[in-house]
Amino acid sequence: MMAAQGLALQAGFGLRPTLFLAELTLATPGVLALALLGRSLRPALGLLGPEPRLALLAVWSGIAFWVASLGLFELQYAVWAPPPGFLEAFRLLHKALKPEGPLDALLSVTAIAVAPAVCEEILFRGVILPSLLRSLGAGGAILASAGLFGLIHLDATGGAASALTAYRVPFALAVGLGLGLLRVRTGSLWPSLIAHATLNTITFAVAPFADDPSRGLPAPEPWKGAGLLVFGLLGFHFALRWLRGSRRP
């Protein structure tokens, strides 16, 4: 995935095509493995017909994940400030994807929110998690797939002190656990895919309004973070309660 992204940038591809290509190269090997094993892809990945009720609960879960992630980042910030260059890298990314019209907005959302959700869910909750169920059980498979999902969120800070940082890994691990629970509780990949896309889309849409580079880093607000985290987790808890009795993989 990282190699494809680097080659695409060197070849002069635009940012959106580069993001698409990187996500495709992440998911393609797992899909090819299933095909080579003779598996029918839609049932193997859990992509059989989404139910309207599950779709609504998935959107609700994505909103709950977004609220909880705000709280988690706030608590993390209280004990671990972002490394130099981390926030600037995300500001530059959002600036480059800033839409200039409705069609441009659709392309940006697809590149930064929908494509990552589709490709990452196909790999981590469509291929990896089900393949681990027999050996690790549901809890172990959810945890292992979430751990791998967290590791792909290592970020390069850029600049003179370019290095990998794990600042987003705790957030990705927590979200991966929630997405894995959705996958196991419903027996379908659609809820985790929709929840992931919802989380990404809200983050992309809100980021320009929530970040003011001229103000610098604000003071940590751990109590606010704890409240947001609890509120988001309660929202997801209610979604899981409504899912009782749904299919299992």
Side-chain angles (χ1 to χ4, degrees):
M1 176 185 180
M2 294 177 69
Q5 187 171 342
L7 289 172
L9 289 173
Q10 289 180 10
F13 284 26
L15 180 57
R16 295 185 187 95
T18 296
L19 293 173
F20 278 119
L21 180 61
E23 293 295 340
L24 282 174
T25 55
L26 179 70
T28 299
V31 175
L32 287 177
L34 289 178
L36 290 171
L37 288 169
R39 302 289 299 277
S40 180
L41 292 182
R42 287 185 65 199
L45 294 171
L47 285 172
L48 298 175
E51 302 172 14
R53 172 175 169 268
L54 291 183
L56 289 173
L57 287 174
V59 171
W60 174 271
S61 297
I63 296 171
F65 290 157
W66 181 74
V67 173
S69 68
L70 285 181
L72 182 59
F73 270 125
E74 189 65 44
L75 289 173
Q76 180 176 319
Y77 173 52
V79 296
W80 180 14
F86 177 80
L87 294 178
E88 185 61 25
F90 279 91
R91 286 168 181 155
L92 292 173
L93 175 64
H94 282 267
K95 183 179 179 180
L97 291 170
K98 185 178 179 180
E100 298 179 357
L103 179 59
D104 209 33
L106 179 61
L107 290 173
S108 288
V109 168
T110 303
I112 196 67
V114 178
V118 171
C119 294
E120 291 169 14
E121 289 310 304
I122 284 175
L123 176 60
F124 292 102
R125 261 66 64 176
V127 177
I128 293 176
L129 190 155
S131 73
L132 297 174
L133 280 172
R134 182 174 296 178
S135 57
L136 299 181
I142 290 170
L143 181 60
S145 60
L148 292 172
F149 180 65
L151 288 178
I152 71 161
H153 287 80
L154 290 167
D155 295 298
T157 56
S162 180
L164 288 178
T165 173
Y167 200 76
R168 281 200 306 159
V169 171
F171 149 79
L173 174 62
V175 171
L177 292 173
L179 294 170
L181 277 171
L182 282 177
R183 175 71 174 95
V184 169
R185 286 288 182 94
T186 64
S188 170
L189 187 64
W190 285 110
S192 61
L193 194 157
I194 293 170
H196 193 161
T198 301
L199 167 64
N200 289 354
T201 301
I202 296 173
T203 302
F204 177 69
V206 171
F209 303 99
D211 182 36
D212 184 0
S214 64
R215 297 177 56 187
L217 291 175
E221 298 181 276
W223 289 110
K224 176 182 176 182
L228 288 170
L229 179 60
V230 170
F231 192 69
L233 290 176
L234 284 174
F236 182 52
H237 170 72
F238 289 126
L240 290 179
R241 285 179 61 88
W242 292 331
L243 284 170
R244 283 183 176 177
S246 295
R247 299 188 311 273
R248 291 179 182 270

